[in-house]
Amino acid sequence: MRADANIDYDPATKLLYVAAGKAAQLTVARIDDQGQVTIVATTATSEGIRNAVVDAKGNVYVADSKAAKLWVFAAPAGK
């Protein structure tokens, strides 16, 4: 994993959220029962984002310190 990436994991959905500052993207991956990782989605953000945090409803919050804002990604339908 890249040193500039910050992650959170939702054990209920087995989804891993990776905010990569240098890559300027948020990646969502599923971890199966054997530990295999499958990319579910990626989305462009902005350079420098950090600290992906998922709440109990599946919404994801990512800090953007360069722009002094908070990115908010809604939970997928059916969560």
Side-chain angles (χ1 to χ4, degrees), residues 41-56:
T42 59
T43 189
T45 57
S46 63
E47 187 174 331
I49 64 157
R50 312 243 345 173
N51 306 322
V53 176
V54 61
D55 69 16

Side-chain angles (χ1 to χ4, degrees), residues 6-44:
N6 292 272
I7 66 171
D8 198 9
Y9 178 71
D10 181 356
T13 60
K14 297 182 181 180
L15 291 176
L16 179 69
Y17 299 86
V18 182
K22 288 184 182 177
Q25 73 179 22
L26 175 69
T27 300
V28 181
R30 184 171 311 283
I31 312 287
D32 70 18
D33 292 335
Q34 289 74 40
Q36 297 298 312
V37 178
T38 304
I39 302 296
V40 174
T42 59
T43 189

